[in-house]
Amino acid sequence: MNFTAAYRIFTALFMLMVTNGLGMTLNDFTSMIYVFVPLLLMLVSSFIQFFKQRKLRLILFAAPIIIFYCFGFYPWLTNYEEVAVSSSTSTLDFIIIPVWATLYGAGFVVLHEIGLGVARAFNSSS
């Protein structure tokens, strides 16, 4: 099994775990979009030629999303009722956390590409 196939299987399993963990408590359609758009972007990116050329791009894009979900967003979702009562910004957090996770992932890919470009420039000049 190649890396891209393993990545797609992992992403699908991760989406299944998030769905199961949520217990289908999200009734609002926009809330579902905020939860699944970053995960769908992870999956779709594995089909784009730009990402398929270098495995590190996929890892850099996926890592912040997975970390944010596991340590920040996912536990927060499972206790939504309690957090909503205790926090005045709960709805805002609910929207912003997955968006920032996706932006961080894209930012890491951009930084990686800039670093590669600088390294190539130094290698070609010497």
Side-chain angles (χ1 to χ4, degrees), residues 7 10 12 19 25 29 34-35 37 41 52 56 58-61 64 68-69 74 100 104 117-118 124-125:
Y7 176 87
F10 170 78
T19 306
T25 56
F29 181 70
Y34 294 128
V35 173
V37 164
L41 282 172
K52 285 169 72 173
L56 189 57
L58 279 174
I59 293 169
L60 286 172
F61 185 66
F68 272 47
Y69 268 82
Y74 186 74
W100 274 110
Y104 276 124
V118 170
S124 63
S125 65

Side-chain angles (χ1 to χ4, degrees), residues 54-74:
R54 198 169 288 121
K55 298 171 187 173
L56 189 57
R57 288 179 184 145
L58 279 174
I59 293 169
L60 286 172
F61 185 66
I65 297 171
I66 293 167
I67 291 167
F68 272 47
Y69 268 82
C70 290
F71 295 109
F73 189 55
Y74 186 74

